[in-house]
């Protein structure tokens, strides 16, 4: 090895230039590193080491390799420290970024600068450690870096990720210069924290301020649209994507496919799928799952066959769609055949979701005892979802003993899940066992279990309206309730009798009937009947399962008012048309 001090500066410069040529190969980078070691390029020199670290981190070489080189550098400069912190912030295990920061603070030669904090906050956001983040934010304020846009963006991102959307919005609101990154952060924050409606309002505000959305905004928006079932807005996003040349982007198109399927506009999804020049397994799977949950099980299975013919390899998610299709179409034997095919031909190890589908397949077909037997012989430990599926089947087909057993398992696994109390209570209610219903309700109150309130979304023009059960907060509440009364009157003249056994209480018949007529989806439908032109399809997104009574009422409404009504509930789609539903009363 040559003496490091004697290597001429020109050679070192050449070596660094050489580094820049290996911008795409980790292997080449390591070879150059070895070459440097052999020829005595002084890595410990902060200027030279800086380049090597920068390239190692940028190429996402392993951080332990980079750290090893880093520890050989004498007095690394702030650029190198920041590069290392950034590198860790981008990995799955960002914690060492914080250790580095602490070492940096303890160091007497360098101090954190404007670039240090955004990287550090990114690492902390990944760790979702709000307390730590706020401590660092305190330091940032003391050092006077808080007014920089990228520091504010990092704080905004941290709050969004940690579920503190209000705090995120406060930071955002006070920012004097809000760039696209800030808008995207705050919009995405509202979406990931389950507040898609606020996200959409912000998007509109963004347009008013003349900020052009980018690819990230589009992806966030599409997930908000999917959540809300906002079809009109999805179509506008689609139009915008065409305008800015994103319409051939595979990922953007896959996101759109998903949105159309989740808005219940499965024909739109198929059209897009057929138009797509490039399709991958995700595109196929998205449409297969979309068809299945929209009640087009037969078409889902046809598409699956086509996918196999194309030579694409289905994934475990594809099979969730396939098994779901079989279960909701009542195709028990086919379901078992596909399950076998999944494990034997594609070597997919069944996950609990697949077992869940099989239990559902049997349960829906009324084979409740077989479903129970199946659970007992499963190779995986049944989880709450599996037992809940069985409990639902028991409620539907009236198997009291197995139902109580399933409930006992659920109490062990998830004692605070309100839906199970409701299911069990419905099981009792269907047999008029009001004292047992009462006991369940009392237990719920005693244990502090809150029933998840039902809500429904509908979209008109630019706005998504939300209704909760018995909602009277809407500005047009009076008209809505007049309409509801008229609907009920017309329903009765068609011979409709409310199905009161679904109501979760031993209250008087009349009272029960009242609370049924106020389920959020009915309120939403009444609102849409007033606000939209005759024959316009009505789309509703509901967070819980549609109850039997609403299902019956909506079937009749679709006929009486000559409207196609599409309801997405938490487990599937119902396409109501001319007095019947695509689920064939099987949900
Ligand atoms: Zn209902
Ligand atoms: Zn249905």
């Amino acid at each position: 090895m040559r003496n490091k001090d004697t290597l001429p500066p020109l050679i070192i410069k050449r070596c660094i230039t050489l580094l820049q040529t290996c911008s795409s190969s980790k292997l080449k980078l390591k070879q150059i590193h070895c070459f440097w070691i052999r020829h005595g390029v002084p890595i410990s020199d902060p200027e030279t080491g800086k380049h090597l670290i920068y390239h190692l981190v940028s190429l996402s070489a392993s951080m332990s390799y980079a750290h090893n080189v880093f520890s050989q550098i004498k007095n690394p400069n702030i650029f190198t420290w920041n590069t290392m912190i950034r590198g860790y912030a981008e990995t799955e295990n960002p914690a060492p970024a914080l250790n580095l920061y602490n070492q940096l603070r303890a160091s007497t030669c360098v101090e954190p600068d404007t670039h240090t904090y955004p990287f550090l906050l990114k690492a902390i956001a990944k760790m979702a450690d709000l307390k730590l983040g706020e401590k660092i934010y305190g330091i940032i304020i003391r050092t006077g870096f808080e007014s920089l846009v990228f520091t504010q963006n990092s704080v905004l991102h941290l709050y969004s990720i940690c579920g503190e959307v209000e705090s995120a919005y406060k930071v955002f609101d006070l920012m004097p210069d809000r760039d696209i990154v800030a808008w995207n952060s705050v919009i995405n924050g509202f979406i990931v924290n389950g507040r898609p409606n606020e996200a959409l309002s912000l998007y509109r505000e963004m347009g008013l301020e003349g900020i052009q959305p980018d690819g990230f905004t589009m992806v966030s928006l599409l997930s908000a649209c999917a959540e809300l079932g906002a079809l009109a807005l999805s179509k506008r996003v689609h139009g915008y994507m065409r305008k800015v040349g994103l319409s051939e982007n595979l990922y953007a198109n896959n996101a759109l496919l998903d949105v159309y399927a989740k808005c219940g506009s499965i024909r739109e999804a198929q059209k897009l799928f057929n138009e797509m020049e490039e399709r991958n397994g995700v595109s196929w799977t998205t449409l297969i799952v979309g068809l299945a949950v929209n009640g087009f099980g037969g078409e889902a299975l046809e598409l699956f066959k086509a996918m196999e013919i194309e030579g694409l390899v289905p994934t475990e998610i594809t099979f969730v769609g396939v098994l779901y299709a079989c279960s909701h179409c009542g195709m028990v034997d086919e379901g078992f055949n596909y399950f076998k095919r999944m494990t034997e031909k594609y070597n997919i190890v069944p996950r609990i979701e697949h077992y869940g589908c099989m239990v559902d397949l049997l349960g829906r077909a009324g084979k409740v005892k077989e479903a129970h037997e199946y659970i007992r012989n499963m190779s995986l430990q049944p989880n709450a979802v599996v037992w809940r599926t069985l409990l639902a089947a028991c409620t539907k087909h009236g198997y009291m003993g197995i139902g109580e057993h399933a409930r006992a398992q659920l109490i062990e696994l998830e004692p605070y899940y309100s839906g199970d109390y409701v299911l069990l209570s419905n099981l009792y209610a269907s047999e008029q066992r009001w004292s047992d219903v009462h006991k369940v309700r009392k237990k719920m109150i005693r244990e502090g279990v809150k029933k998840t309130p039902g809500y429904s979304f509908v979209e008109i023009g630019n706005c998504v309206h939300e209704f909760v059960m018995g909602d009277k907060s809407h500005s047009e509440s009076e008209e809505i309730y007049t309409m509801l009364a008229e609907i009920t009157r017309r329903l009765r003249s068609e011979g409709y009798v409310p199905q009161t056994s679904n109501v979760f209480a031993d209250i008087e018949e009349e009272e029960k009937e009242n609370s049924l007529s106020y389920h959020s989806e009915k309120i939403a439908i009444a609102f849409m009947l007033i606000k939209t032109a005759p024959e316009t399809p009505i789309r509703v997104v509901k967070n819980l399962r549609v109850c039997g009574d609403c299902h019956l009422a909506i079937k009749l409404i679709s006929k009486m008012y000559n409207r196609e009504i599409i309801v997405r509930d938490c487990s599937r789609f119902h396409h109501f048309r001319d007095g019947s539903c695509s689920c064939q009363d099987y949900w």
Side-chain angles (χ1 to χ4, degrees), residues 551 572-576 581-587:
H551 197 269
R572 66 168 298 141
F573 282 86
H574 302 267
H575 292 253
F576 297 93
C581 178
S582 62
C583 76
Q584 293 164 344
D585 302 332
Y586 197 105
W587 80 100

Side-chain angles (χ1 to χ4, degrees), residues 130-171:
L130 185 63
K131 249 193 175 152
L132 183 62
E134 287 185 324
K135 195 177 139 206
I136 299 292
Y137 190 35
I139 298 174
I140 294 173
I141 292 173
R142 280 201 299 282
T143 43
F145 292 144
E146 93 277 12
S147 59
L148 296 162
V149 173
F150 47 88
T151 312
Q152 288 171 340
N153 279 342
S154 309
V155 176
L156 188 56
H157 175 69
L158 173 78
Y159 278 133
S160 297
I161 289 291
C162 295
E164 297 286 318
V165 257
E166 302 299 341
S167 308
Y169 186 76
K170 247 183 234 159
V171 174

Side-chain angles (χ1 to χ4, degrees), residues 496-540:
Y496 155 86
V497 179
Q499 294 189 348
T500 47
S501 72
N502 281 300
V503 183
F504 178 57
D506 55 340
I507 41 179
E508 294 300 315
E509 287 293 320
E510 194 186 350
E511 235 183 284
K512 267 187 267 181
E513 213 176 285
N514 244 341
S515 66
L516 277 176
S517 61
Y518 298 159
H519 273 181
S520 63
E521 57 270 51
K522 277 192 188 156
I523 304 174
I525 289 169
F527 175 67
M528 292 301 274
L529 284 172
I530 303 170
K531 301 301 278 188
T532 56
E535 294 181 33
T536 316
I538 296 174
R539 288 164 205 283
V540 181

Side-chain angles (χ1 to χ4, degrees), residues 4 7-17 36 40-42 45 48:
K4 286 170 191 174
L7 205 65
L10 192 67
I11 303 279
I12 296 180
K13 214 173 167 195
R14 285 259 167 84
C15 286
I16 291 169
T17 316
W36 281 23
V41 177
D45 170 59
T48 320

Side-chain angles (χ1 to χ4, degrees), residues 19 22 25-38 52 56 59-62 64-66:
L19 257 189
C22 62
S25 159
K26 283 180 210 172
L27 185 68
K28 221 168 144 194
L29 188 63
K30 287 192 180 172
Q31 283 169 350
I32 291 175
H33 183 204
C34 288
F35 176 86
W36 281 23
I37 294 170
R38 269 205 312 279
L52 188 56
L56 280 170
L59 274 183
S60 336
S62 89
S64 60
Y65 190 91

